[in-house]
Amino acid sequence: MAPAGKGGYNAKQQSKGAQQAKLPKHSERKPRMLNIDAGGVQSRRVIDRIPEGQRRERRRRLHATPLHRFHAHPTTMSNLNDMKSPAAAGTVREASQTERAIMGLREAVLRGHFAPSERLSEVEVADHLGVSRTPIRAAMQRLAEEGLLEAVQPSGYVVRAFSEQDIADAIEVRGTIEALAARMAAERGVSRLILQQMRDCANRMEALFEHTVSDQERLEQYALWNERFHALILEAAGSGVVQRALTRVAALPFASPSAFVSAQARLPGSVAIMRMAMMQHHDIVDAIEGRASARVEALVKEHSRIAHKHLELALRHRDVLDSMVGAPLIQRG
């Protein structure tokens, strides 16, 4: 009698061999087929013994099925990408509608379409801007964060009014944050490309006063290059925190770097102030390039006070002030 261990082993091997002998070879195994019926419903089955004629009939029915039948069913393999596309498109449309509502409402508030202390109606604002109420709610929330609207109880928003001191404070805060950005840029170092772009902006603004162009064209071009110059200071800092803080305060009336540019042609003494600002632009670039952080911080703070000078001039010339964007929100003393 054979030992149990050895005999047991041989018995197992024989049993395993018998099982393998019963299995068909790989080439003989029936393939797994994906069966999609004419209604577009798919199911995975193991097709073991289907006559060749029936198999051909199924293939014929599959190819004869119109493509729209597959796209109409959510579980069809061929429309997986189509399931993603409408959702993605819907997200883009929703974001686009929200941005449109934000920009449109901001413009309406700054232009005086809605008076200071006026309670905003979602229906009225939606009708005015031509968008649905959902993006209007998002726009109101954004403008409340920017400070143009104020939340009131139990719910809703009113247009905020600004005193002359509020405007002066906003300009001061913007200058302080921008000075911080310039100091950070000087401390961290700036690429040659950004420095060259800043110099290019400064040179182009200066060149506007050397060429014969209309006052309107000069101011429009100056505003563009000035905005670009200040945006580069923020980019050079490389801080998202500073960028968000500056973007928020710059949205307030007259707080942005180019807020008074449109009125400078009608303000006496404004050209001399603009020339002073252009010289400061070159000094700011030199200080950032030289890594003089304390100097550039002081320069940018002084540069922001040019807006204070323009504000004082505008307040003395109400006809000019009234023509500026944001003027309807100012409380008159």
Side-chain angles (χ1 to χ4, degrees):
M1 183 173 178
K6 186 175 180 181
Y9 175 77
N10 289 336
K12 289 181 181 179
Q13 288 292 95
Q14 293 173 2
S15 174
K16 184 177 180 180
Q19 290 176 3
Q20 289 178 346
K22 293 179 181 179
L23 291 175
K25 295 181 180 180
H26 180 75
S27 59
E28 298 175 352
R29 293 179 186 178
K30 300 297 181 180
R32 293 175 62 87
M33 297 182 63
L34 183 64
N35 178 38
I36 304 179
D37 64 18
V41 179
Q42 68 176 17
S43 61
R44 185 174 291 276
R45 301 173 182 175
V46 178
I47 309 302
D48 292 327
R49 296 180 178 86
I50 298 179
E52 182 62 25
Q54 185 177 349
R55 213 178 287 178
R56 285 198 300 268
E57 175 63 18
R58 288 195 176 191
R59 286 198 293 267
R60 186 193 66 77
R61 289 172 57 197
L62 173 62
H63 292 297
T65 303
L67 291 178
H68 69 81
R69 296 287 297 276
F70 294 108
H71 290 277
H73 198 281
T75 59
T76 305
M77 293 286 290
S78 62
N79 75 334
L80 289 179
N81 290 331
D82 295 337
M83 290 170 62
K84 297 178 182 179
S85 298
T91 302
V92 171
R93 284 195 298 270
E94 183 179 351
S96 176
Q97 288 289 312
T98 301
E99 289 300 318
R100 176 184 170 189
I102 292 171
M103 292 186 292
L105 182 56
R106 184 187 292 121
E107 180 75 6
V109 169
L110 292 174
R111 294 285 183 182
H113 183 83
F114 303 105
S117 303
E118 178 182 352
R119 190 183 185 95
L120 296 182
S121 164
E122 288 184 5
V123 176
E124 182 182 355
V125 175
D127 290 342
H128 176 73
L129 299 180
V131 297
S132 64
R133 294 175 63 179
T134 299
I136 291 299
R137 294 190 193 101
M140 289 181 175
Q141 183 178 356
R142 172 71 69 83
L143 265 64
E145 294 172 357
E146 294 178 357
L148 290 176
L149 301 182
E150 185 176 355
V152 293
Q153 298 297 331
S155 63
Y157 298 91
V158 297
V159 178
R160 183 182 171 189
F162 293 84
S163 66
E164 296 174 6
Q165 188 61 52
D166 289 334
I167 297 171
D169 292 346
I171 294 172
E172 187 69 23
V173 172
R174 191 261 297 172
T176 301
I177 298 175
E178 199 168 37
L180 172 62
R183 178 171 66 81
M184 293 170 69
E187 290 175 346
R188 298 175 179 181
V190 180
S191 68
R192 301 299 305 175
L193 176 61
I194 292 181
L195 287 171
Q196 183 56 47
Q197 289 175 343
M198 294 177 72
R199 290 196 186 280
D200 184 55
C201 290
N203 291 333
R204 287 178 179 273
M205 283 184 277
E206 200 169 39
L208 290 172
F209 291 85
E210 299 173 359
H211 295 81
T212 303
V213 294
S214 65
D215 289 341
Q216 183 63 29
E217 183 179 355
R218 179 182 291 113
L219 292 177
E220 289 176 356
Q221 291 296 317
Y222 184 93
L224 291 175
W225 292 113
N226 189 57
E227 288 284 353
R228 177 60 178 156
F229 181 87
H230 287 266
L232 285 169
I233 294 177
L234 195 56
E235 180 181 346
S239 172
V241 174
V242 174
Q243 181 179 10
R244 287 189 293 272
L246 187 56
T247 300
R248 178 176 178 179
V249 70
L252 297 175
F254 308 110
S256 69
S258 298
F260 293 94
V261 171
S262 62
Q264 287 174 351
R266 292 175 290 166
L267 290 174
S270 64
V271 174
I273 296 175
M274 290 177 68
R275 291 187 180 278
M276 182 189 305
M278 288 187 292
M279 289 189 293
Q280 290 176 343
H281 288 155
H282 290 286
D283 293 339
I284 289 170
V285 179
D286 291 339
I288 292 176
E289 184 178 26
R291 311 290 291 269
S293 57
R295 172 169 168 74
V296 76
E297 185 174 21
L299 280 170
V300 174
K301 283 185 178 180
E302 180 62 30
H303 183 67
S304 69
R305 294 192 176 99
I306 288 179
H308 283 288
K309 294 182 173 66
H310 282 133
L311 175 61
E312 294 170 359
L313 286 173
L315 290 173
R316 291 201 297 266
H317 297 80
R318 293 288 181 167
D319 57 326
V320 177
L321 183 64
D322 290 340
S323 66
M324 298 178 62
V325 176
L329 302 182
I330 301 177
Q331 292 176 332
R332 303 303 170 92

